[in-house]
């Protein structure tokens, strides 16, 4: 199950690093965290003791904005995954020192109970993984990672509950099946 979680998070990270934006209207891309009308699985209920998608999104946004980041419209989440995935991306043009803001955001999140489960540092880029109460978070800092020459700082959280695991597996299978 951990491989699937990493594969789903890695797939999201690859899309972000590759710069595959939605290309659509930014106003329409907002609210990607709401369940789609297509009937995707509901986010984890707060009654099981784990935070719901709104609480996790609020926690990430609060930590990032307190660290000096301004949110930009995130890349579009596949409709079937909107109740299971959060993508918070900074507007690299509006931050003075993105590495300092990244480190501060991560420090706030770890202070709030997120436990680091992996880290990869290559030159000045950092990708770190964290877990908390049924959620898995990938935090990415990549200097000059965007086409426009600004730094890429993203925080991607995935609900790891069984309903969302199933949706991630289905989405991955759909993306990896041979094209006819």
């Amino acid at each position: 199950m951990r491989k699937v979680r990493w594969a789903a998070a890695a797939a999201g990270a690859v899309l972000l690093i590759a710069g595959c934006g939605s290309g659509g209207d930014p106003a329409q891309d907002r609210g990607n965290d709401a369940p789609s009308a297509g009937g995707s699985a509901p986010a984890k209920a707060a009654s099981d003791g784990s935070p719901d998608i709104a609480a996790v999104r609020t926690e990430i946004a609060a930590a990032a904005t307190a660290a000096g980041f301004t949110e930009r419209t995130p890349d579009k989440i596949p409709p079937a995954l909107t109740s299971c995935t959060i993508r918070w991306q900074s507007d690299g043009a509006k931050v003075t020192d993105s590495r300092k803001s990244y480190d501060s955001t991560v420090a706030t999140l770890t202070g709030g109970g997120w436990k680091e489960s992996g880290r990869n540092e290559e030159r000045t880029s950092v990708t770190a993984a964290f877990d908390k109460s049924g959620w898995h978070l990938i935090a990415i800092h990549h200097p000059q990672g965007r086409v426009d020459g600004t730094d890429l700082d993203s925080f991607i959280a995935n609900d790891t509950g069984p309903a969302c695991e199933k949706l991630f597996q289905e989405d991955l299978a759909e993306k990896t099946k041979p094209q006819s």
Side-chain angles (χ1 to χ4, degrees):
M1 196 171 331
R2 183 172 280 284
K3 285 184 182 179
V4 171
R5 188 168 64 211
W6 270 99
V14 168
L15 285 173
L16 290 172
I17 291 169
C20 295
S22 64
D25 179 1
Q28 290 177 346
D29 288 346
R30 291 261 176 221
N32 280 337
D33 298 331
S36 69
S40 60
K44 191 172 291 167
S47 63
D48 72 356
S50 59
D52 65 11
I53 196 164
V56 174
R57 182 171 220 317
T58 298
E59 183 178 12
I60 293 168
T65 56
F69 283 128
T70 301
E71 185 175 17
R72 72 175 268 281
T73 302
D75 294 332
K76 201 167 216 168
I77 297 171
L81 301 178
T82 58
S83 64
C84 300
T85 299
I86 297 161
R87 290 186 184 164
W88 197 100
Q89 293 175 284
S90 75
D91 183 339
K94 295 182 180 175
V95 65
T96 305
D97 183 343
S98 67
R99 178 59 193 257
K100 182 177 178 182
S101 292
Y102 172 86
D103 289 341
S104 180
T105 301
V106 167
T108 298
L109 292 170
T110 56
W114 289 89
K115 305 289 183 212
E116 189 169 325
S117 58
R119 175 177 288 267
N120 181 38
E121 295 193 40
E122 192 170 312
R123 296 184 187 183
T124 57
S125 295
V126 181
T127 302
F130 303 87
D131 294 296
K132 178 181 176 182
S133 303
W135 284 87
H136 184 71
L137 171 70
I138 301 290
I140 301 164
H141 169 73
H142 188 67
Q144 304 294 311
R146 301 222 26 100
V147 175
D148 62 4
T150 61
D151 295 350
L152 171 71
D153 291 282
S154 297
F155 302 90
I156 306 161
N158 294 314
D159 182 329
T160 61
C164 288
E165 286 285 343
K166 182 178 184 226
L167 291 173
F168 287 124
Q169 289 173 0
E170 290 169 357
D171 183 66
L172 187 59
E174 181 67 27
K175 286 182 167 99
T176 57
K177 76 179 181 183
Q179 300 291 324
S180 36

